[in-house]
Amino acid sequence: MTATRVCALSELEQDSALRVEVDGVAICVVRDSNDEVHAIGDVCTHGDISLAEGFVDGDTIECWAHGSAFSLLSGRPLNLPAYEPVPVFAVTIDGDDVLIDPAVKKEV
């Protein structure tokens, strides 16, 4: 697979998330308060809830339904009830384009 454009960088507000789908993979794209862009699996590992609907705080995103926070850097849950990590994908910024290849996991 190759990296696919998922959105424009200008579409992502700071401390916000956007749900996208690439080749059948649901991905949560986040622009944090430092203007870093992250891509993690969009489904909370505790329940079938979109993480893109959650709350961004620094380099974490919190699931709105059960309160589990996940590291945007590693995908690891930081508190219960979730205990399984979500995948983290490599992000490429090309001008104003945000590109993600769901086959390429970020090394953490």
Side-chain angles (χ1 to χ4, degrees):
M1 269 186 248
T2 60
T4 301
R5 180 187 185 279
V6 296
C7 65
L9 183 59
S10 58
E11 291 175 47
L12 292 172
E13 295 180 25
Q14 275 189 328
D15 295 324
S16 69
L18 174 69
R19 182 186 189 280
V20 298
E21 193 168 311
V22 180
D23 296 326
V25 178
I27 299 172
C28 174
V29 182
V30 177
R31 187 173 189 173
D32 68 19
S33 58
N34 293 320
D35 279 336
E36 296 291 322
V37 178
H38 308 275
I40 64 172
D42 185 53
V43 179
C44 177
T45 57
H46 173 68
D48 191 19
I49 303 294
S50 171
L51 290 175
E53 296 174 14
F55 312 102
V56 178
D57 183 23
D59 60 0
T60 66
I61 190 162
E62 181 181 324
C63 176
W64 66 268
H66 301 109
S68 286
F70 293 85
S71 167
L72 295 170
L73 304 173
S74 69
R76 292 186 183 100
L78 303 175
N79 59 319
L80 296 172
Y83 57 89
E84 292 291 326
V86 294
V88 178
F89 304 100
V91 176
T92 303
I93 307 296
D94 184 11
D96 191 46
D97 294 332
V98 178
L99 304 140
I100 299 170
D101 183 342
V104 178
K105 302 288 193 305
K106 183 176 172 184
E107 293 295 321
V108 291

